[in-house]
Amino acid sequence: MKTKKHLLFAFCAVLSCGGCSDGKGPQDLPDAKTVPPRETCFGTYTGTLPGADCPGIETTLTLLQDSTFQLRMVYIDRETSFEEEGRFFQENDTLLAVQSKNGHRQYYRIEQGSLRHLDADKNAIAGALADRYVLTKKSK
């Protein structure tokens, strides 16, 4: 149980709001330093992420002030949707990590009013569809 708590704490540390301005990637989770989430991180982010076998995935990610999140993904042209919830953490004002209750992790980098979805190695996704891996913050 203690190990799970440490992993969850470390995962939350990686969940961050901010851009990687130093050109270095975030630290691995076990060594991550956590910082309190910035107030500007909280809110709802939406966008259509690319889908491997569908036209896209309508995605809504809500970051709450109690460091929990709600994620809803609806696959376009399919009768498939997923909902996840869990906790998020911030590391050095650069990386946002969300971990659902089942242990599934996703990484995002905060950009000006948006979140950029990262790959499993915490790198920005490159290629022709790179600009489609962005969730935009909804206005209040």
Side-chain angles (χ1 to χ4, degrees), residues 53-136:
D53 57 355
C54 69
I57 305 166
E58 293 176 354
T59 304
T60 302
L61 175 61
T62 302
L63 304 176
L64 303 170
Q65 291 186 0
D66 64 356
S67 296
T68 62
F69 75 90
Q70 298 168 344
L71 177 65
R72 178 165 171 75
M73 299 168 287
V74 178
Y75 288 69
I76 299 172
D77 290 345
R78 296 181 149 210
E79 293 186 24
T80 304
S81 66
F82 294 97
E83 293 187 12
E84 293 183 5
E85 54 185 38
R87 301 196 57 79
F88 72 92
F89 301 87
Q90 183 173 345
E91 177 188 327
N92 301 327
D93 213 25
T94 59
L95 180 69
L96 177 72
V98 296
Q99 180 168 327
S100 59
K101 291 179 179 177
N102 68 7
H104 179 247
R105 294 180 184 173
Q106 293 186 37
Y107 302 97
Y108 297 88
R109 184 175 66 209
I110 290 289
E111 297 179 348
Q112 190 70 27
S114 63
L115 293 172
R116 178 168 300 276
H117 191 267
L118 305 176
D119 67 17
D121 294 322
K122 305 174 215 157
N123 297 311
I125 297 167
L129 300 177
D131 61 337
R132 293 193 50 210
Y133 285 90
V134 176
L135 301 178
T136 305

Side-chain angles (χ1 to χ4, degrees), residues 1-20:
M1 183 70 168
K2 189 173 182 179
T3 301
K4 285 184 179 182
K5 285 183 181 180
H6 287 294
L7 288 173
L8 181 59
F9 181 75
F11 173 76
C12 289
V14 173
L15 196 60
S16 151
C17 297
C20 293

